[in-house]
Each structure stands twice: as C-alpha cells, then as structure tokens.
Amino acid sequence: MKQLSFAVIGAGNGGQAIAGHLALKGYKVNLYNRTYQKLLPIIEKGGIELEGEVEGFGKLNVITDDMEKAIKDVDIILVVVPASAHYKIAEDMLLYLKDGQIIVLNPGRTGGALEFHNVIRKREDLDVVIAETDTFIYACRSSMGKSKIYKIKEVVSVAAIPKEKTEIVVETLNTAFPQFIPAQNVLETSLNNFGAVFHPTPTLLNAARIETTKGNFEYYREGISPSVAKILEKIDNERMMVAKALGVNTISAKRWLKESYNAEGENLYEAIQNTKAYVGLLAPQTLDCRYIFEDVPMSLVPMSSIGKEIGIKTPTIDAVIHLASVMHGKDYWKIGRTAEKLGIQGMTVEEIIELVEGKRKEVTIA
C-alpha cells in the first residue's frame, strides 16, 4: 500500500506541531504558509524540532509559500489556520486541487466544512472530500521551527461532506492518528463548539480589566464570575436549541467539563472553578485576539444565522455579536459565516440535513 503524503496549510502553533509530528512518523509532509518570512527559520532547519509529549526532529519534504507546490500530488490536505482564513484558503487552492484528495479543517469551528464546500463546489468537475474536526488534536505552542506539544487529545471527532465519506476519512487519518473518530455529521462537529461558549463573552465582559492589566488575571477562574457564568449558560442553551432543531447530538458545556476534565459543580460557574486544567491560564493580553476576531464571526454568527433560517431565536448570542462589532468597529454579521456563505440560505431543516448527508446535489454559491 502506498504511504500517505500530507500538505499542512498554516505554519502557526498547530501547523508546525502536526507537520513535525507527521514527518517524525515517517510521512512525506509539505508545509505551506502565506507569509514567507515565517518559513525562513523552518527552511534553515529543514523541518520542525519537537519536544514535550513528542520528541525528535521532523524533516519536511517541501516548505513553501506556493499553494500549488504545497498541495501537488498529496493525499491529505490538513488546513490548520484560524477559521477566519478558511474561505480565502479554499479560493487559493481551488485551481490546484485534484480528484481524490481529502481536505480536513483542524478544526472547522462552526460551519467551516460547509463554507469550504460552498467554495469548492465552484469546480463542478472536482471530486474531493471536505471534512472538519471538532477540536485540534494538540495543546501546543510553536515558534521558529520549534514546537512543544503539551498534550495530545485522546479523542477528536471528524465528519465529512458528504456524510458517507466520513468513514474513509477517519480510516485514512487513523493510519497516522488513532485519536480520530467519526461524528454524526458536520453539523455535530460544528455545533459542539465550546469555544463559542467560553471565549467571546468573558473576553468582552472583562474588557476593562484586559486593557488595564494586559490580561494579568486568570481568564477562567477570575474572569468568569457567577454572573458571567449565567450568561454563558444562556449562550450554551441557545447553541443546544439550534443543534436539537437540526437533530444533532450535543452536550451542555457543564457536562463537557465533566467528560473532558472530570470537573463537576452544581452549575456552570462551580464546574469552571473546579476545572484544574484552567488553573493559571491567563486572559488575552489585548482585545484584538482570536477569542473575538475568530470566535465571534466564525462561531457565534453562524450559530445565530443558522438559527434564524430554522426558526430558533438566539438573543444572547446576538447581543454578544453586537457588542463585539461595536468594540472592534467591525460588522461581524457581514464578516462572519452567514447562512448565505454556508450555502444553506432558504433551506428547511430537512434540506440542510440532506446537504450534509450528500443527498442534496444543488447548493447556492455565495
């Protein structure tokens, strides 16, 4: 059997870690980054130095800012960039994709695979599989060709469009990573997005503290008070209402803390305070952070927009999107993943499910 080859798109924290780890495992790996300057230390080394849970040196095959060179003839394309870059990445690789390639967004946030799918569908002759994970496989930090992997997650859910391709994606990924398991569909991976619950709201409600202390406080344990946690519970409930309307299996943020970190409490506030993994984690140093510019347009906006399409109101989520837009001076409703950009505008619940399961052929190109 031919050994798999990979292209990793993005040379940030996650991209360097997964490219280096795959190369260390003996796979042929190409690494792409839009900014060439960021690649220079990696080019000088010829690969990625790994430490932490994985130690060694991963020698890379190609290190480039040329998308065509990066994805040429590879089997699997791992997109490891902020979700706000997914649309542009899809456009950049569109002309160079070949039949049979598998594209995996790591992670998709909310609606990533749908948005990517809507771009790739512009080439009607193309037969590729688009998939997304619900979370990134590592907790890691990377810089200048060195990556420290603090923790490799035990389970990462994956789903593909169409749904019937999920098993082959998981089987293919399992040759390198046994942690990947199949999800119900991309609606499940998209709506089990707990960053949407835990990131934007505490950041916004601690805006003054972040600006005056440069984030010098414990984000979860100090930044999430009982009152803030009540708002998080409302956002979580609205997320689950959208998921339930789409027939998606989901769990509450409180239960997720129990399953992920064995943290319990009478309510979400207590569960957060009892989460040992959050001890010592500081807040962002600035309000210009991914907790806002990624999680609001790429997580909360699609949750709200999908909700509107299927008749589910999300007033608390909408309030957070509005506050973030005012604070950043940006229209996150316009920037974000709307139902139109996801290719589901005007669809019923049944039609959306048919789309993600591959039973619906037509799609609206935004």
Side-chain angles (χ1 to χ4, degrees):
M1 181 180 174
K2 170 182 171 287
Q3 189 179 38
L4 295 172
S5 57
F6 291 82
V8 176
I9 308 301
N13 283 322
Q16 290 187 48
I18 202 165
H21 194 187
L22 283 165
L24 188 63
K25 286 172 175 279
Y27 292 98
K28 179 180 173 183
V29 182
N30 299 341
L31 179 63
Y32 166 89
N33 197 69
R34 183 177 56 183
T35 307
Y36 187 73
Q37 194 72 20
K38 192 167 187 177
L39 295 172
L40 291 177
I42 306 170
I43 292 171
E44 186 176 343
K45 291 181 173 70
I48 308 293
E49 297 176 19
L50 296 165
E51 61 179 6
E53 281 210 6
V54 179
E55 295 186 351
F57 181 78
K59 181 175 174 57
L60 300 175
N61 178 57
V62 172
I63 306 166
T64 182
D65 62 348
D66 185 320
M67 182 66 79
E68 183 178 10
K69 288 181 181 177
I71 68 174
K72 183 179 175 61
D73 298 327
V74 302
D75 301 301
I76 302 177
I77 301 168
L78 301 177
V79 178
V80 193
V81 298
S84 50
H86 284 165
Y87 189 92
K88 181 66 166 60
I89 290 293
E91 288 189 321
D92 288 348
M93 68 172 58
L94 183 60
L95 290 177
Y96 310 120
L97 290 166
K98 304 294 184 185
D99 288 351
Q101 289 181 309
I102 294 173
I103 304 163
V104 184
L105 309 183
N106 295 266
R109 297 302 176 199
T110 299
L114 278 168
E115 181 181 58
F116 222 89
H117 176 262
N118 208 26
V119 175
I120 302 305
R121 285 280 295 177
K122 293 176 182 178
R123 274 187 60 186
E124 296 180 0
D125 62 318
L126 188 63
D127 182 19
V128 297
V129 178
I130 299 159
E132 67 179 16
T133 67
D134 65 343
T135 187
F136 190 56
I137 191 170
Y138 310 124
C140 60
R141 289 292 180 269
S142 305
S143 179
M144 309 284 286
K146 293 183 179 180
S147 182
K148 183 170 184 178
I149 298 176
Y150 293 94
K151 181 69 176 175
I152 303 176
K153 294 185 173 70
E154 294 183 6
V155 174
V156 177
S157 294
V158 184
I161 299 177
K163 176 183 176 180
E164 66 183 30
K165 299 292 186 181
T166 297
E167 285 294 341
I168 192 167
V169 172
V170 172
E171 288 174 8
T172 305
L173 290 172
N174 283 165
T175 62
F177 299 108
Q179 291 88 350
F180 290 106
I181 63 169
Q184 178 184 351
N185 54 40
V186 295
L187 297 175
E188 180 182 325
T189 49
S190 284
L191 292 168
N192 275 324
N193 178 356
F194 296 100
V197 178
F198 289 121
H199 293 166
T201 304
T203 304
L204 290 169
L205 296 183
N206 283 279
R209 196 173 184 185
I210 288 171
E211 290 183 321
T212 55
T213 71
K214 297 190 185 303
N216 189 26
F217 62 94
E218 290 195 37
Y219 179 77
Y220 292 96
R221 290 161 60 85
E222 294 182 271
I224 301 178
S225 66
S227 296
V228 172
K230 287 179 182 178
I231 298 174
L232 300 189
E233 287 177 330
K234 281 289 187 182
I235 290 171
D236 197 39
N237 285 336
E238 290 172 9
R239 174 188 68 84
M240 288 190 291
M241 286 170 59
V242 174
K244 183 178 179 181
L246 289 166
V248 172
N249 298 322
T250 190
I251 59 174
S252 68
K254 181 170 171 284
R255 182 177 162 190
W256 179 78
L257 289 174
K258 165 65 176 172
E259 293 187 359
S260 298
Y261 300 113
N262 198 30
E264 296 184 85
E266 289 295 317
N267 50 44
L268 184 57
Y269 170 73
E270 289 185 7
I272 291 168
Q273 295 301 307
N274 292 331
T275 302
K276 293 180 181 179
Y278 290 161
V279 175
L281 289 181
L282 297 181
Q285 295 181 358
T286 170
L287 293 174
D288 185 21
C289 64
R290 287 173 62 167
Y291 285 4
I292 303 295
F293 68 67
E294 180 179 19
D295 285 302
V296 171
M298 304 301 149
S299 296
L300 293 182
V301 168
M303 286 181 185
S304 173
S305 189
I306 293 169
K308 286 181 174 64
E309 290 297 312
I310 61 176
I312 302 297
K313 294 181 179 180
T314 56
T316 317
I317 288 175
D318 294 354
V320 173
I321 297 168
H322 176 70
L323 287 176
S325 296
V326 172
M327 194 171 288
H328 274 189
K330 297 179 179 179
D331 186 349
Y332 280 126
W333 292 106
K334 185 175 180 180
I335 295 169
R337 286 176 174 156
T338 59
E340 180 184 7
K341 291 177 183 176
L342 300 182
I344 60 172
Q345 189 174 42
M347 288 189 184
T348 64
V349 168
E350 292 74 19
E351 288 170 337
I352 293 171
I353 293 171
E354 285 176 1
L355 173 63
V356 302
E357 292 188 349
K359 297 173 183 175
R360 183 183 177 88
K361 298 302 181 185
E362 69 274 15
V363 81
T364 303
I365 305 298

